[in-house]
Amino acid sequence: MSLLSKLRCITVDVTGTLIAYKGELGDYYCMAAKSVGLPCPDYKRVHEGFKFAYTEMAREYSCFGHAAKMPNIVWWKTCVRNSFVRAGYDYDEETFEKVFRRIYASFGSSAPYSVFPDSRPFLRWAREKGLTVGIISNAEYRYQDVILPALGLNQGSEWDFGVFSGLEGVEKPDPKIYQIALERAGNIAPEEALHIGDSMRQDYVPAKSVGMHALLLDRFKAPNAKEWEKSGAIVLPDLVAVQELLSSEKLTTDLYTSLC
């Protein structure tokens, strides 16, 4: 008997699982600066500045400011300004507003993202098999309302429900976000659901902690993928391999134990 016959729901992570970023962060900050006649900021300094600013904002105002009732655009405006300041670029308010608007619009569109070629076929296959498909992501509302639809990943044809941290006020690796997903899927039992992601800490461990099946994708040959396998996780290269595994009538005891 295949594992597929035991499932009622599959949930998937977004970035690194269904989609990937195109280019570098500096590309979009550079284009925004040039659009108002400024020289291109240094890529490395902007990247490091963004990492620090994003981490700081996520710590002080988690889930994109959900608990503080901070508007999404204000959260990002503060983060982007701090990114530039950390990188050594302290623009005046009028200039920064123009640069920020360009950056905010870019990352709220399909432009910085690409969909892995196996994503849409896999999601449609799962739904055709009668499974409920959910999205679980540490992302703000634009992923659900704008970005995923713009990329051709639509609610109703590729996925059934979404659990996005910016809308829920809870984020991975908190197991509560997986419990919310089980409720959205129809209050199903954890053992009737499989989660697929690309992070041991944010996807595999918390999903397993609530009793779900789980496996990991290693699309980019992560250096710690071998450690994931040593920890007992099933690690596959893409969603084609996931589909083959789920459809197999010869799931070995070891593989089944790893998924469970």
Side-chain angles (χ1 to χ4, degrees), residues 28 31-36 96-108:
Y28 302 96
M31 286 189 291
K34 284 186 171 181
S35 72
V36 298
F96 171 72
E97 182 68 26
K98 293 176 182 177
V99 172
F100 168 71
R101 290 285 176 177
R102 175 69 179 262
I103 292 171
Y104 189 72
S106 293
F107 283 95

Side-chain angles (χ1 to χ4, degrees), residues 123-142:
L123 297 176
R124 292 195 170 195
W125 168 81
R127 295 185 80 245
E128 287 168 1
K129 291 296 182 180
L131 299 176
T132 299
V133 174
I135 302 289
I136 303 178
S137 178
N138 285 353
E140 35 112 337
Y141 79 93
R142 292 184 299 172

Side-chain angles (χ1 to χ4, degrees), residues 76-128:
W76 278 113
K77 189 172 185 177
T78 306
C79 183
V80 172
R81 176 176 280 289
N82 290 344
S83 299
F84 276 119
V85 171
R86 287 276 173 181
Y89 303 96
D90 195 2
Y91 303 130
D92 65 77
E93 187 59 36
E94 183 180 356
T95 300
F96 171 72
E97 182 68 26
K98 293 176 182 177
V99 172
F100 168 71
R101 290 285 176 177
R102 175 69 179 262
I103 292 171
Y104 189 72
S106 293
F107 283 95
S109 72
S110 62
Y113 315 97
S114 61
V115 182
F116 292 112
D118 56 2
S119 295
R120 192 175 296 106
F122 176 80
L123 297 176
R124 292 195 170 195
W125 168 81
R127 295 185 80 245
E128 287 168 1

Side-chain angles (χ1 to χ4, degrees), residues 196-215:
I196 304 167
D198 68 330
S199 169
M200 175 64 87
R201 187 180 74 88
Q202 294 195 339
D203 294 299
Y204 187 84
V205 171
K208 295 273 282 187
S209 76
V210 301
M212 295 171 67
H213 304 286
L215 58 80

Side-chain angles (χ1 to χ4, degrees), residues 11-174:
T11 60
V12 289
D13 168 54
V14 177
T15 307
T17 302
L18 298 178
I19 70 175
Y21 287 108
K22 290 192 296 190
E24 299 180 43
L25 180 78
D27 294 330
Y28 302 96
Y29 279 51
C30 182
M31 286 189 291
K34 284 186 171 181
S35 72
V36 298
L38 295 171
C40 186
D42 181 88
Y43 272 44
K44 184 176 181 180
R45 284 159 54 194
V46 164
H47 181 72
E48 291 302 315
F50 177 80
K51 283 199 303 182
F52 186 93
Y54 185 92
T55 300
E56 186 175 58
M57 286 295 292
R59 182 176 60 249
E60 294 184 13
Y61 302 101
S62 63
C63 301
F64 305 95
H66 183 278
K69 295 184 170 26
M70 180 184 290
N72 186 74
I73 194 169
V74 173
W75 194 98
W76 278 113
K77 189 172 185 177
T78 306
C79 183
V80 172
R81 176 176 280 289
N82 290 344
S83 299
F84 276 119
V85 171
R86 287 276 173 181
Y89 303 96
D90 195 2
Y91 303 130
D92 65 77
E93 187 59 36
E94 183 180 356
T95 300
F96 171 72
E97 182 68 26
K98 293 176 182 177
V99 172
F100 168 71
R101 290 285 176 177
R102 175 69 179 262
I103 292 171
Y104 189 72
S106 293
F107 283 95
S109 72
S110 62
Y113 315 97
S114 61
V115 182
F116 292 112
D118 56 2
S119 295
R120 192 175 296 106
F122 176 80
L123 297 176
R124 292 195 170 195
W125 168 81
R127 295 185 80 245
E128 287 168 1
K129 291 296 182 180
L131 299 176
T132 299
V133 174
I135 302 289
I136 303 178
S137 178
N138 285 353
E140 35 112 337
Y141 79 93
R142 292 184 299 172
Y143 264 55
Q144 173 177 267
D145 297 346
V146 181
I147 297 169
L148 291 179
L151 291 168
L153 297 173
N154 297 291
Q155 188 170 7
S157 55
E158 280 75 38
W159 50 282
D160 298 289
F161 69 89
V163 186
F164 298 89
S165 63
L167 294 171
E168 307 297 338
V170 60
E171 61 189 6
K172 300 186 288 185
D174 191 331

